[in-house]
Amino acid sequence: VLEEADKAAMFELYDRYYAATDRARFEADLSKKTFVILIRNELKVVVGFSTLSVHRQSVENEEIDYIFSGDTILDASRWGNPTLLRAWFRTAGALKRQLGAQRLYWFPIVKGHRTFRILPNFFCRYVPGSEDDSAPELIRIRDAIATARYGNFFSSETGVVDFGRSLGHL
C-alpha cells in the first residue's frame, strides 16, 4: 500500500515532466495498477517510478497474459541511470517465473522515444518494428488488447490510441 506522501511525490514528479495532467485521473489510474516501482535518491526522495498490472486477454480463442505498463518517469538528473529499468525487468521476470511456460507479453502505451528505444535493446519481437513472420501474430495480440481496453479510441490501422484531447503527454 502506497503512503499518501509517496502518491503526492509521484504526482509531483509526473506533473513536472508531463503536460495536461490531472491529480484525480493520475490517482484513479494508479489505483488500477498491481505493482509500483519507486526509485528514491540518497535522501529518500522519489526520483522515478513505474506502474504496471497483469491481465489476461482472449485472442482468437487463446488466453494470453500481458503486462500493462502505466506511467513511468525518471527525473532528468537520473537519465542514463539503469536503476529503474533494472527494477522494471526484475519485476517482469518475477511475474514471468510465476507463469512458467505460459508466454507473457508487454503492452506499453509509448509516449516518448526513451520507452520506444527499449524495444530493440531488450526484445527480439515487437510491434511496430519486427520485420519477421511474427509481426502479424503480434499485431493480432496488440489489436485485441487495445480494442478491449480502448474501444474506438484505438485505430488498428495506425496502432495509435487517440483520445482526441491529451490525457497526459511529455
Side-chain angles (χ1 to χ4, degrees):
V1 176
L2 280 174
E3 301 289 330
E4 288 303 317
D6 287 334
K7 290 179 189 178
M10 290 169 67
F11 181 74
E12 188 277 323
L13 183 61
Y14 178 79
D15 191 47
R16 194 175 333 142
Y17 290 93
Y18 284 82
T21 62
D22 175 87
R23 177 79 184 257
R25 188 173 57 244
F26 176 84
E27 289 205 21
D29 180 69
L30 183 59
S31 72
K32 297 174 188 169
K33 298 304 185 287
T34 314
F35 300 94
V36 175
I37 300 165
L38 289 177
I39 304 300
R40 298 177 191 274
N41 66 12
E42 50 285 340
L43 300 174
K44 306 297 182 205
V45 174
V46 174
V47 294
F49 70 88
S50 186
T51 64
L52 56 100
S53 53
V54 181
H55 301 273
R56 181 160 279 184
Q57 175 71 42
S58 179
V59 179
E60 297 178 0
N61 299 318
E62 178 187 2
E63 295 293 314
I64 62 115
D65 294 301
Y66 70 94
I67 294 173
F68 176 67
S69 289
D71 297 314
T72 299
I73 193 73
L74 188 63
D75 186 78
S77 67
R78 304 294 175 165
W79 289 354
N81 183 318
T83 303
L84 180 59
L85 188 61
R86 286 180 183 156
W88 193 95
F89 277 106
R90 273 195 308 274
T91 303
L95 293 168
K96 174 61 180 121
R97 274 192 303 280
Q98 290 176 2
L99 291 173
Q102 174 75 12
R103 289 186 293 176
L104 179 63
Y105 296 89
W106 180 31
F107 183 79
I109 300 295
V110 179
K111 295 180 181 177
H113 70 281
R114 283 181 174 76
T115 304
F116 190 79
R117 287 190 336 211
I118 290 171
L119 298 175
N121 290 311
F122 293 95
F123 297 92
C124 297
R125 304 175 337 146
Y126 56 93
V127 169
S130 290
E131 300 296 330
D132 60 22
D133 294 338
S134 67
E137 174 195 10
L138 294 176
I139 290 170
R140 280 193 307 278
I141 291 168
R142 178 205 64 193
D143 289 357
I145 293 169
T147 299
R149 293 188 73 86
Y150 301 108
N152 291 332
F153 294 113
F154 172 70
S155 166
S156 62
E157 289 187 17
T158 63
V160 172
V161 176
D162 184 354
F163 294 108
R165 65 179 176 87
S166 176
L167 300 180
H169 61 275
L170 290 169

